[in-house]
Amino acid sequence: MPIHPILDYLWIIPLLPLLGAAVNGLFGAEWPNKIVSAVAVGSTGLSFAAALEAVREFTQLSPEQIPWIKQYFSWIAAGTFRAGFDLQVDQLTVVMLMVVTGVGWLIHIYSIGYMAHEGGYYRFFSFLNLFMFFMLILVMAANYVLLFVGWEGVGLSSYLLIGFYFLKKSAADAGKKAFIVNRIGDFGFMLGMFLLFRTFGTLDFVALFDKAGHWPAEAMGQLGTFTIACLLLFMGACGKSAQLPLYVWLPDAMEGPTPVSALIHAATMVTAGVYVVARSHMLFTHAPTAMLVVAVVGCATAFFAATIGLVQTDIKRVLAYSTVSQLGYMFLACGVGAFSAGIFHLMTHAFFKALLFLAAGSVIHAMGGEQDMRRMGGLSSKIRWTYLTMLTATLAIAGAPFFAGFFSKDAILFSAFQSANGGHVLYAFGLLTALLTSFYMFRLIFLTFHGKPRYDEHKVHVHESPWSMLGPLVILAVLSIFGGWFALPSMLGTGRDYFANFLGPLFGAGESVAVEPAAQALELKFAGVAVFTALMGFVIAFWFYLRQPGKPEQLAKSMKGAYTTLLNKYYVDELYAAVIVKPLLWISTNFLWKTVDVAGIDGAVNGIADNARAIGDTVRQTQSGNTRSYAVWVVVGALVVIAAIFWPLLRPAAGMVP
Amino acid sequence: MHPAGHLLSVLVFFPALGALALLLLRGDDHVWIRRLALTISIAEFLLSLLLIPGVPIGAAHYQLEEFAKWINVPPINYHLGVDGISLFLVILTTFLTLISVIASWKSIERRVKEFFVTLLLLEVGIIGVFFSLDLFLFFLFWEVMLIPMAFLIGIWGHERRIYAAVKFVLYTMTGSILMLVGIIWLYNATGTFDLPKIQQFLQSGALVLPARTEMILFLAFFLAFAIKVPLFPLHTWLPDAHVEAPTAGSVILAGVLLKLGTYGMIRFCLPLFPNASRRFAPAVALLAIIGVIYGALVALVQPNLKKLVAYSSVSHLGFVVLGIFAFNPISMQGAVFQMLAHGISTGALFLLVGMLYDRRHTFEISEYGGLATPMPKLAAFFLFVVLSSLGLPMLNGFVGEFLILLGTYQMHWKWAAWAALGVILSACYLLWSYQRVFFGEVTREKNRTLPDASPREKWILVSVAVVTLWMGIGSISFTRRFAASCQNVLDQMGPEQAQEAVAPAKPAVPSGNALAAVPEKISLERTASR
């Protein structure tokens, strides 16, 4: 019997960052930066090491030991309901664990340098560690309720970190917006859980999916339990993963420090929605309608966000819309049943998008806080390492051959094409998005690093970042190249897609993994098309921003309407404000509070009181001493009494009250 | 008899004794008055913890009962008992009273002795209500509790305190008169004020209430409790009472007094009038849901911080009422848990608002802004409490709300779906107000130099935070003790009957058993046809 030191004590993995958060939060204010960062980086580093060991032990488990579940204590119990503090490790968890602890650790290291001159250093690291804790709970939870703990917890950490610079109103606003928009999604998520509990009597993954697996699948268009439950869960996913129509919080979330954008708003937290859909694949595969919705929403978001990304001038905003767009790809993959492709893209995206953000942070650092690409340019020679790593990530996201994004995006587009429900349309939009992606990413590169400097070189002293920041960049750059090579053998036709193979036992036969030679040849063709598309994006960007630098402005002028619409993000924020926020506030203030509450109910109550006083006065007047008026009152009173006594008789069918 | 002997009586009257002792002190000796009040409330809190072993896990019925004849005619008895539901509510009361004493340490400077005496008498009334198993005794304590609370508002309150106190008294009295009528009616029908006995009659069929009568009785009790909760649209006394009350008054009012309403619904409305409860459930649920959403929306736009918290109570208590009237074991436990959780979180919110008031003497949100800079610790605690109030998992608010919604969904999914909107709205009003008070640059010069939490305040806040976390993570240690009692309430409701409760031609009093004690006048024809 093999011993599993970490798998037996799974709680160690999430607990370490929690301890780090608690220690820094309680005592960090008094400590020098070195100790604070040592605690934070140390705790996440240990957590990463523990996760690595857990994965090693996991590979030695026999298939029947998977999923590996550890039950710690009952957290909530009432009636037949029980939610335990139970952790679970299966193939999906392994991937997520590696991404979260690995990328998380690198970003912690990067933050040491990036945040060195900021106030609230301990606060930053405490929150960042807290985030790690909740994110690990999210991916290791063995039931929906505990998952929801992580789910809301990462939302909290996100709120705290977006609003890190709380003196700025825009930062505080953005944090609040993120939390509230996520809550709207969580509303759906909670109802989804309630429905699942009502149907299956449990919210534990293993028991629930086992029962669900024996249920007959719903037909397309049928609005049964599975469809509704999946759509409700997906509503939560839309909030967390910034999909249409709940994506609005993510671009604003860029108010947070850049490492936060990299870790939370690119690599990990925002992928939680994809994770939940993949985790619930047993439910989704039973609900073809819900799957179609997921695919369409994902595809639409991918395209929609990419168009906004075309014209943004803030370097982080471009990346934010790019993230929304790439998350759309992941949902597209899940929606067409290619869950492992979605998770594959989740992983490679974590590498290259984290890298993009960190490199952007390095640029901002070098420029002394400048984020507007219109005031950059020509940086490539001055910050060489930043440039090279960022270029690597750009090649990866654009889908250059043999970079990580190439494999995962290709897998998604290929699966979308093969999908029975409108696959060709999904594929077309996916491909178009790839073109846009390549364009806006190279636009970013050219505007930032090439051409002539457009800033005041006397004021801004461009300097390369310290190695504590460059180190993580280099490691992530390596991962952005090789991170996709799990799929290389299958692409070359010499072997299997190791990634899909690893997740295979989990996602089962629903997976469409190309194995036969014909399909493999087709996939190669698709890869060719994708590469050509990416190249076109590159060429257009090259032509626009290096060859004809005046051209984009001309174009923007000639298509003013389209340009301003894109620049203003289709006015969606304004629409929400006008349609939801303002009317709600107006109605609450003027109707509910001032009319119903104060004038209506309170008015009535006070009115009764006043009337009572008035009646009292009137009654006093009746005691006039006038005998005749007394006589009248006696008669009236007698009549009332008589009526009361005989009322049962007067009323028809008394005593047989229905 | 339980070895603890007369624990319940001790708990009820110890604060009264303490109040007497306080009266013996010199009125201007504020230091010792405070110290003695603190000692009494600590002792009372510790004593109340002794209740926990007295209510074993899984015990559904009343424990530690005490019974003594008090008045022969009419037969009013001194009958006390505790079950899982009242257990933690009593501990909540003693805990919040203790906290209130500490919170009033500096902020009460006028009539100090009288203040603490009043606070302790209030505690007597509340604990008495929770323990009473005799309807008349219950009513007595119910009224006893009203007077100190009105004094707290009317004497130690803010500008419009008299208006608020009178409003509070009138509202509550209106309800209690109705309840008194209901109690007397029940006595007329059964010849006893004893709650367990009346329940026994009902369950054995010795007392059968015609549908119409049951509904009227239900309404008589329910209205009294609904005003207390307060249920929409009977809530307008609450914002005024809270804004005018001193901090301690608000803490007790929101923390415990409101729960007396929901407690009464669980203890009286459901088991005594099950069919009427069922019949009215949709209407009650509708009002509860309106309360959840309406309270949250009105809270959203309040310029006054204390009013905001008051309206948030309307919203949160709406959840509790919904959980009770869903008649589901999960939602019922959720409701009881939410009563406790709300007591802690909203109590803490009022404490924090009170701390801000002590510094700036205003509740207007616009007077604040950027407070996180001068007072980071208070800001951190405030955020913690805000998070617990908006139902963040692992903190106390989540468990109650989640169980209520989960249980309600099993019965009526639409109710749960509407009420769940409150979860979104609570985040809106809490985070928005928090932002306006604590984030941004300091906008008023006065606020720049405000002191951060003092050691005394830290003690209060840390103890509240510990309870919050414990309830959020170790919720089982609470629910397992009241699970059986909650189930018992639902069992007492019996199976759902046909809409028609047929009045028996003759009082069905089986002879030769305990029920023979029921006087002949239990005959219901008379009352039914009235």
Side-chain angles (χ1 to χ4, degrees), chain A residues 41-114:
Chain A
V41 174
S43 61
T44 36
L46 283 175
S47 180
F48 178 45
L52 277 176
E53 167 63 17
V55 172
R56 190 192 67 78
E57 290 162 19
F58 178 81
T59 54
Q60 293 171 351
L61 294 178
S62 57
E64 62 270 18
Q65 284 175 294
I66 299 172
W68 178 270
I69 294 178
K70 277 282 166 193
Q71 302 196 327
Y72 292 108
F73 62 91
S74 286
W75 170 41
I76 303 179
T80 53
F81 173 74
R82 176 190 175 273
F85 202 91
D86 307 337
L87 300 180
Q88 149 178 350
V89 179
D90 63 3
Q91 289 86 352
L92 182 56
T93 313
V94 163
V95 175
M96 296 302 288
L97 263 184
M98 290 289 89
V99 170
V100 171
T101 55
V103 176
W105 187 50
L106 289 175
I107 293 174
H108 270 75
I109 296 173
Y110 174 94
S111 305
I112 298 175
Y114 189 87

Side-chain angles (χ1 to χ4, degrees), chain A residues 387-590:
Chain A
Y387 170 63
L388 287 176
T389 49
M390 194 153 190
L391 187 63
T392 313
T394 303
L395 288 168
I397 191 176
F402 303 107
F403 283 71
F406 166 73
F407 296 101
S408 52
K409 197 184 284 184
D410 183 62
I412 292 172
L413 289 177
F414 186 60
S415 310
F417 186 78
Q418 288 182 319
S419 166
N421 297 319
H424 292 55
V425 179
L426 294 174
Y427 173 76
F429 272 94
L431 199 64
L432 197 55
T433 306
L435 174 72
L436 300 179
T437 308
S438 171
F439 171 79
Y440 67 66
M441 283 313 302
F442 280 106
R443 169 178 175 267
L444 184 150
I445 291 284
F446 295 146
L447 279 177
T448 311
F449 293 102
H450 294 270
K452 289 202 182 82
R454 292 181 295 279
Y455 53 90
D456 189 345
E457 284 180 87
H458 300 291
K459 280 190 189 154
V460 184
H461 301 285
V462 179
H463 55 283
E464 184 61 289
S465 302
W467 271 102
S468 68
M469 287 166 68
L470 293 181
L473 292 187
V474 172
I475 297 172
L476 284 170
V478 171
L479 287 169
S480 299
I481 299 172
F482 298 107
W485 285 23
F486 293 107
L488 188 60
S490 92
M491 181 73 80
L492 296 177
T494 55
R496 302 169 299 179
D497 179 340
Y498 287 102
F499 195 84
N501 224 42
F502 177 70
L503 290 176
L506 185 68
F507 294 131
E511 277 297 282
S512 49
V513 184
V515 273
E516 65 270 34
Q520 197 248 328
L522 190 64
E523 192 173 356
L524 270 182
K525 258 183 225 160
F526 274 90
V529 174
V531 170
F532 179 73
T533 313
L535 198 64
M536 266 177 43
F538 167 78
V539 170
I540 300 171
F542 183 77
W543 188 70
F544 262 15
Y545 290 95
L546 288 187
R547 275 295 143 92
Q548 307 267 334
K551 205 77 186 162
E553 216 165 312
Q554 278 177 16
L555 197 66
K557 271 186 190 144
S558 65
M559 299 165 57
K560 203 161 186 350
Y563 177 75
T564 42
T565 308
L566 286 183
L567 195 64
N568 289 297
K569 307 157 279 180
Y570 295 97
Y571 299 99
V572 174
D573 277 317
E574 287 78 2
L575 182 77
Y576 285 175
V579 175
I580 301 171
V581 180
K582 278 183 190 153
L584 202 64
L585 289 179
W586 191 89
I587 290 171
S588 302
T589 313
N590 295 312

Side-chain angles (χ1 to χ4, degrees), chain A residues 21 115 120 123-131 134 152-167 171-172 174-179 182 249 253 255-257 260 264-265 269, chain B residues 379-384 386-387 392 431 434 439:
Chain A
M115 298 300 289
R123 198 157 53 89
F124 176 83
F125 277 106
S126 176
F127 294 165
L128 211 57
N129 272 14
L130 188 69
F131 167 77
F134 281 123
E152 288 263 290
V154 291
L156 164 70
S157 323
S158 164
Y159 166 79
L160 293 170
L161 284 163
I162 296 170
F164 182 74
Y165 303 115
F166 61 81
L167 293 179
K176 182 187 63 190
K177 183 175 176 182
F179 197 93
N182 269 294
W249 65 271
E255 291 286 342
V260 171
I264 301 185
H265 305 120
M269 183 189 86
Chain B
F381 278 116
F382 208 118
L383 183 63
F384 185 82
V386 158
L387 293 172
L392 192 83
L431 291 182
Y434 183 79
F439 287 160

Side-chain angles (χ1 to χ4, degrees), chain A residues 319-382:
Chain A
L319 295 178
Y321 281 103
S322 162
T323 305
V324 174
S325 173
Q326 297 295 311
L327 289 165
Y329 268 130
M330 297 173 209
F331 281 110
L332 170 60
C334 293
V336 297
F339 293 104
S340 69
I343 296 299
F344 191 26
H345 196 59
L346 185 160
M347 184 182 78
T348 59
H349 176 259
F351 299 147
F352 59 68
K353 188 52 68 64
L355 174 54
L356 282 171
F357 269 111
L358 294 185
S362 181
V363 170
I364 296 166
H365 192 79
M367 295 291 297
E370 181 61 67
Q371 300 196 8
D372 193 333
M373 296 189 295
R374 287 171 300 188
R375 287 194 285 275
M376 295 181 184
L379 293 176
S380 62
S381 58
K382 289 177 183 156

Side-chain angles (χ1 to χ4, degrees), chain B residues 252-308:
Chain B
I252 301 288
L253 183 59
V256 190
L257 249 61
L258 307 188
K259 277 73 186 187
L260 289 170
T262 43
Y263 171 79
M265 291 177 189
I266 296 177
R267 181 66 83 227
F268 298 97
C269 291
L270 263 54
L272 294 184
F273 318 114
N275 298 316
S277 296
R278 286 202 181 90
R279 192 175 263 196
F280 280 110
V284 174
L286 180 68
L287 291 179
I289 292 166
I290 291 177
V292 167
I293 297 171
Y294 177 93
L297 285 176
V298 177
L300 187 64
V301 294
Q302 288 307 309
N304 180 311
L305 201 52
K306 218 172 177 188
K307 261 195 182 161
L308 189 151

